[in-house]
Amino acid sequence: MELKRKKIFIVDDEEILTLLVKWNLEETGEYKVTTESDPQKAITRALGIKPDLFLLDVLMPHMNGIQ
């Protein structure tokens, strides 16, 4: 029986950090991780992805994770 992987969406302006977190999470085989470094683009992408969990940076240029 194949386990459905949970979808995680990481939004952070530090791309190296997001890639490291993505790699570590996907390495478990339990998660499908999408990343975005532009908070404006993240809003549009999130609507299509419909993630189970968001990991958001609170301090980003132009828009923060809370907004």
Side-chain angles (χ1 to χ4, degrees):
M1 178 170 94
E2 184 177 323
L3 180 66
K4 183 179 176 189
R5 296 188 305 165
K6 296 290 184 182
K7 295 181 280 185
I8 298 175
F9 190 27
I10 302 172
V11 182
D12 193 316
D13 59 320
E14 294 186 41
E15 291 183 53
I16 297 296
L17 175 67
T18 58
L19 292 175
L20 286 170
V21 173
K22 175 182 177 156
W23 182 80
N24 279 290
L25 289 168
E26 287 187 338
E27 196 62 23
T28 69
E30 296 182 31
Y31 307 104
K32 166 94 172 94
V33 180
T34 303
T35 63
E36 180 58 65
S37 59
D38 182 329
Q40 296 285 2
K41 290 179 184 176
I43 294 169
T44 304
R45 289 187 70 195
L47 295 172
I49 296 167
K50 298 182 182 172
D52 298 298
L53 175 70
F54 286 94
L55 296 177
L56 304 171
D57 183 0
V58 177
L59 300 173
M60 291 184 286
H62 310 294
M63 178 183 281
N64 63 49
I66 296 170
Q67 293 170 322

